[in-house]
Amino acid sequence: MSNPRVLCLGEILFDCLADQLGLDLEDVKTWTPYPGGAPANVACALVKLGTPAGFIGSVGEDEPGNTLVKLLEEVGVDTTGVQRHATAPTRQVYVVRDLDGDRTFAGFGKYDTTEFADTHLQAKQLPPSLFEEADFLILGTLELAYPESEQAIHRALDLAEQYDLKIVLDVNWRPVFWQDADIARPKIQELLKRVDFLKLTKEEAQWLFDTADAGAITYRLNSVDGVLVTDGEHGCSYCLGENEGKLSAFSISVVDTTGAGDSFLAGFIHQLSQQGIHQLSDPETAKSLVTYASAVGALTTIKPGAIASQPTAAEVEAFLASHQL
């Protein structure tokens, strides 16, 4: 694929999902690996919806790394920005699930969190040519936990600003990825000064801002075009331009919530790239963008795994035609 409109920078990995629900890590008998990693999930979801996207990240020179790169290529994600590390392994994270399918990241098996290939993303190897053509850069915050990948984030931000990309931050707070969780908050808060759109869960909003009110967060930052706050089965709230609102969630039978937030973000960016940011000034357009995003997120929860369950644009349109919020 040439000229991705959206660049997604961060981790790609295997989510090893517990086959038995409601058990602690040590009690789970078997696991099933599913491709994941928030930025990779977003890239794949965008391509399936019809928006060209590229992934920037680092994986090992190992079989899991080969499998993940092959998956990206099969989906149609641009892999120009993928780096390979000769000795560090591709990350696998163990995920336990409660009886409702909601997940908790439980650890990394025999490895320390700092030992994986994604922590070694090299700033100097980021291809500027990708940024010349793109419209959006989507980042998580996990790369801030490691010195080399943190430098890569700041290099990507510099390139995004140089080429006038809109910068989207999905907080994606995962304490298990950080050796020292106390340094996370100030690092993330520093990053907020450079973003145009912010997507976070209700819990992340409370943690960073002591409020889950999207309008209050937008006012506090005073530099963003929009804030989206998701709250799982309770829906989401948004502040886009001058327009604030809340939407309830679609009522569906949930199998696995892994990647739902990533699909939500992809649905939003897909619509935003089609409609144009100037359209956010219209309240109905703003609401329709978030409704579409909610539908993409909802459809991702009806099958296991983050990427395998992502819908096509036709599936989203059919779903919206038959479901009302």
Side-chain angles (χ1 to χ4, degrees):
M1 178 193 296
S2 60
N3 298 348
R5 311 310 305 167
V6 183
L7 305 178
C8 303
L9 185 151
E11 69 282 357
I12 186 170
L13 47 78
F14 276 101
D15 288 314
C16 298
L17 265 60
D19 293 325
Q20 297 80 36
L21 302 185
L23 298 181
D24 292 331
L25 177 69
E26 56 273 13
D27 298 322
V28 175
K29 303 289 191 295
T30 56
W31 309 82
T32 300
Y34 290 96
N41 293 344
V42 176
C44 289
L46 280 163
V47 170
K48 291 182 184 185
L49 292 171
T51 292
F55 175 74
I56 300 171
S58 180
V59 295
E61 289 276 10
D62 51 19
E63 199 51 47
N66 294 340
T67 301
L68 291 171
V69 173
K70 183 181 177 186
L71 170 69
L72 291 174
E73 291 171 345
E74 287 174 347
V75 170
V77 174
D78 186 293
T79 56
T80 307
V82 174
Q83 302 175 17
R84 305 297 296 264
H85 196 279
T87 56
T90 300
R91 189 183 292 270
Q92 299 187 68
V93 56
Y94 290 87
V95 183
V96 296
R97 294 186 286 168
D98 66 19
L99 294 175
D100 294 323
D102 287 326
R103 71 218 186 286
T104 302
F105 292 86
F108 302 102
K110 63 181 180 179
Y111 293 103
D112 185 81
T113 187
T114 61
E115 296 182 70
F116 293 100
D118 57 274
T119 70
H120 298 293
L121 184 65
Q122 297 297 302
K124 63 181 180 293
Q125 291 181 32
L126 300 186
S129 58
L130 282 178
F131 291 80
E132 289 177 31
E133 302 290 340
D135 300 317
F136 294 91
L137 171 66
I138 298 178
L139 300 166
T141 63
L142 300 183
E143 284 63 48
L144 295 174
Y146 318 102
E148 287 175 284
S149 54
E150 182 181 22
Q151 288 182 2
I153 279 214
H154 288 288
R155 172 61 178 154
L157 287 168
D158 290 343
L159 286 166
E161 288 166 356
Q162 179 181 343
Y163 293 108
D164 201 26
L165 279 66
K166 287 293 184 180
I167 298 165
V168 184
L169 180 68
D170 180 359
V171 172
N172 200 32
W173 166 237
R174 303 279 184 262
V176 70
F177 280 77
W178 293 74
Q179 277 196 310
D180 180 3
D182 291 336
I183 67 171
R185 201 163 178 258
K187 282 182 182 286
I188 294 170
Q189 287 171 328
E190 192 63 27
L191 206 60
L192 293 174
K193 299 173 183 176
R194 302 181 72 174
V195 307
D196 299 293
F197 290 91
L198 176 64
K199 182 257 172 193
L200 62 178
T201 65
K202 180 183 178 182
E203 293 78 14
E204 291 163 350
Q206 292 284 2
W207 177 59
L208 284 170
F209 298 102
D210 296 317
T211 178
D213 185 299
I217 294 168
T218 303
Y219 179 78
R220 182 123 22 122
L221 291 174
N222 195 33
S223 58
V224 295
D225 295 317
V227 172
L228 302 160
V229 180
T230 58
D231 190 17
E233 64 186 22
H234 304 296
C236 63
S237 64
Y238 62 90
C239 183
L240 300 169
E242 298 291 312
N243 300 302
E244 290 185 56
K246 291 185 178 181
L247 291 177
S248 55
F250 286 100
S251 181
I252 53 166
S253 181
V254 172
V255 171
D256 175 27
T257 60
T258 306
D262 306 325
S263 290
F264 173 94
L265 180 58
F268 175 75
I269 297 299
H270 170 66
Q271 284 292 299
L272 188 61
S273 65
Q274 290 197 327
Q275 306 267 2
I277 289 174
H278 61 282
Q279 294 286 355
L280 293 178
S281 59
D282 176 61
E284 285 307 311
T285 301
K287 183 180 179 181
S288 73
L289 261 65
V290 181
T291 302
Y292 188 97
S294 298
V296 181
L299 282 166
T300 302
T301 69
I302 61 178
K303 290 183 279 190
I307 293 173
S309 57
Q310 292 166 341
T312 64
E315 289 169 333
V316 179
E317 295 297 344
F319 179 83
L320 285 169
S322 61
H323 290 73
Q324 295 295 320
L325 276 178

